[in-house]
Amino acid sequence: MTNVVIGAGSGMGKAVAEVLAPRGRLIVADVNADSAKAVADEIGGQAEALKVDLTDPADIDSLVATIGDSLDSIVISAGLSASMANGRKIFEVNLIGYANTLAAVEPLIHDGSTAVIFSSESGYASNATPELTTVLDDPLAPDFFDRIEALGFDPDLPHFAYPISKLGVHRLAKKLVWPWGAKGARVVSVSPGINDTPMNRLDESNHPIMAEIIKGSPLGRRGTPVEVAAVVDFLTSDKASLVTGSDVLVDGGMLNALPTRGAGAEAQPH
């Protein structure tokens, strides 16, 4: 068996890699080669490290070559938040990179293969217009950014790009359900809430309202990478053989505590 986790150098991706390791060969991939190697070395066994930048076609080609002839599961947790990059870069990693990677590995899938792609609870609060949603359904279009701008949105705004890119991941899972299903394979997205990860801690330092969201959520706490990894473990297993084309919200009920217009308040034309 060959399983792949992209974004496995830290946080939720690392936790996912650890729970999938007992299944056999595991490709621990991350944009940071040193982090990928450290995690692979820590896991041991059949874990091997690979540098994968979702925006680099050469890295995607290298991933496909490393996988070989057959892919059992691929989990993509890599991503950028609004505190980490400009909006265009966020789209290029969080949505376009996901779409390119899944298109590249599609020839390697078989009956029973699974893809789990990471979205976010913010995708539910994006307030995207129907016209914008239509654009999101074709993230690999060469005029993707032009089409966003034509609708009156600025794709360079980080706080626009993050929730909208995450909504795009929801849409991507629904779109790929058909070609993957034809091969007996599944595609599922997962939407964590505020989690105890380095990326979320950075966001919390920049946005104090996140502490109020945590405090006001039904469980009153952050999620942990291990809790999210447990859900991914299930989704990539035979026990979830009928789950495909949907999103699984893993947020401790935080969506219920978001402000009325949520993280996508900027997702209105200007």
Side-chain angles (χ1 to χ4, degrees):
M1 297 182 69
T2 297
N3 301 291
V4 178
V5 183
I6 303 177
S10 64
M12 291 181 282
K14 178 183 178 183
V16 171
E18 290 170 345
V19 299
L20 296 188
R23 298 186 188 182
R25 184 180 183 230
L26 174 68
I27 298 174
V28 178
D30 197 88
V31 67
N32 186 315
D34 291 339
S35 295
K37 184 178 186 305
V39 172
D41 288 348
E42 181 181 333
I43 291 174
Q46 298 183 59
E48 55 192 89
L50 185 69
K51 181 214 172 250
V52 173
D53 179 341
L54 293 177
T55 68
D56 187 340
D59 280 7
I60 302 305
D61 289 344
S62 175
L63 172 65
V64 172
T66 302
I67 292 171
D69 297 330
S70 180
L71 173 67
D72 292 287
S73 73
I74 181 167
V75 179
I76 310 179
S77 67
L80 295 173
S81 75
S83 300
M84 300 171 70
N86 65 38
R88 202 167 295 242
K89 182 68 173 181
I90 290 170
F91 273 117
E92 288 171 350
V93 173
N94 293 6
L95 179 56
I96 297 171
Y98 278 39
N100 272 323
T101 303
L102 293 182
V105 302
E106 188 175 319
L108 309 181
I109 64 175
H110 55 81
D111 188 8
S113 295
T114 310
V116 176
I117 50 181
F118 271 56
S119 180
S120 163
E121 68 174 2
S122 66
Y124 286 94
S126 63
N127 294 326
T129 64
E131 294 80 8
L132 181 56
T133 301
T134 298
V135 175
L136 293 177
D137 285 343
D138 193 9
L140 300 184
D143 60 347
F144 177 73
F145 290 114
D146 293 336
R147 293 173 67 193
I148 290 177
E149 291 178 326
L151 293 174
F153 300 101
D154 184 354
D156 290 311
L157 290 175
H159 293 287
F160 162 78
Y162 182 75
I164 296 300
S165 69
K166 293 303 186 177
L167 173 62
V169 174
H170 291 170
R171 306 291 301 179
L172 183 61
K174 293 180 182 299
K175 178 180 180 179
L176 293 182
V177 71
W178 297 105
W180 282 56
K183 297 184 177 183
R186 300 182 293 111
V187 184
V188 185
S189 61
V190 294
S191 291
I194 300 173
N195 222 264
D196 193 8
T197 65
M199 185 173 80
N200 275 179
R201 291 290 188 176
L202 174 62
D203 287 342
E204 286 181 54
S205 69
N206 292 327
H207 305 287
I209 192 175
M210 292 176 70
E212 295 302 314
I213 293 172
I214 295 169
K215 184 178 178 181
S217 66
L219 296 184
R221 64 173 178 83
R222 300 173 187 83
T224 68
V226 171
E227 289 174 309
V228 177
V231 175
V232 176
D233 187 22
F234 166 72
L235 291 173
T236 54
S237 74
D238 291 340
K239 294 180 181 179
S241 58
L242 203 60
V243 182
T244 190
S246 58
D247 181 74
V248 179
L249 191 60
V250 192
D251 73 335
M254 284 183 190
L255 185 62
N256 299 283
L258 291 182
T260 303
R261 295 187 65 198
E266 296 84 356
Q268 302 298 317
H270 58 271

